[in-house]
Amino acid sequence: MQSFTGIDDYAGALGTHLGHSEWRTVTQEQVDLFAEATDDHQWIHTDPERARSGPFGGPIAHGFLTLSLLPALLREVYRVEGLKMVVNYGSNKVRFPRPVPVGCRVRAGAELIELERGPQGAQSTVRVTVEVEDSDKPACVAEIVSWLRS
């Protein structure tokens, strides 16, 4: 994990890869809980038996479940010390190039691609790529925008 001593130190990482999270297994329980929380019970996610004969050969995680893992995964990649708070401001781009099969392992890589300073901190844009173990194609690529309050 990279640790930055403040926004100035973090700004020095602009244009660089910040590192990777640990590998994390995506479970059917997570998928089922996400389906309950979002009321998205599509069978390709929640019916393992039916999904085995479906287009992906088994159940897959919701794309938005993969996206919702980003805060936890990014906490393993880097942190900026001395902030009062960090607020999720949204996403510029989100793509799901490949599905995440239930039972596989994923990790996130992060790159600081933009940092705009303001009077109370900064706005950062981090490109996050979620990899699926043993796959050349990412499961999710997203530009995550955050307000960093100092």
Side-chain angles (χ1 to χ4, degrees), residues 68-82:
S68 72
L69 293 174
L70 296 189
L73 293 170
L74 288 175
R75 276 194 302 271
E76 298 176 359
V77 177
Y78 73 98
R79 73 171 163 240
V80 180
E81 303 289 344

Side-chain angles (χ1 to χ4, degrees), residues 116-129:
E116 295 179 21
R117 293 173 191 261
Q120 297 179 7
Q123 178 179 300
S124 72
T125 305
V126 175
R127 180 179 301 117
V128 183
T129 303

Side-chain angles (χ1 to χ4, degrees), residues 49-62:
E49 191 170 312
R50 183 176 177 194
R52 276 192 276 286
S53 61
F56 304 109
I60 61 170
H62 305 72

Side-chain angles (χ1 to χ4, degrees), residues 6-117:
I7 292 175
D8 289 339
D9 189 26
Y10 186 49
L14 189 61
T16 68
H17 192 265
L18 303 174
H20 288 95
S21 69
E22 297 296 321
W23 290 102
R24 180 179 296 225
T25 301
V26 176
T27 68
Q28 186 64 52
E29 179 182 17
Q30 284 176 301
V31 170
D32 293 342
L33 289 169
F34 190 83
E36 285 299 315
T38 61
D39 202 23
D40 181 353
H41 299 278
Q42 190 175 152
W43 63 269
I44 61 173
H45 307 301
T46 61
D47 187 341
E49 191 170 312
R50 183 176 177 194
R52 276 192 276 286
S53 61
F56 304 109
I60 61 170
H62 305 72
F64 285 117
L65 168 56
T66 304
L67 187 65
S68 72
L69 293 174
L70 296 189
L73 293 170
L74 288 175
R75 276 194 302 271
E76 298 176 359
V77 177
Y78 73 98
R79 73 171 163 240
V80 180
E81 303 289 344
L83 298 176
K84 291 180 182 173
M85 71 175 142
V86 178
V87 177
N88 175 7
Y89 192 64
S91 302
N92 290 336
K93 297 179 184 177
V94 177
R95 299 289 183 266
F96 303 107
R98 67 151 289 152
V100 174
V102 169
C104 76
R105 294 187 339 147
V106 298
R107 73 175 181 176
E111 176 188 358
L112 179 60
I113 62 172
E114 191 173 345
L115 187 72
E116 295 179 21
R117 293 173 191 261

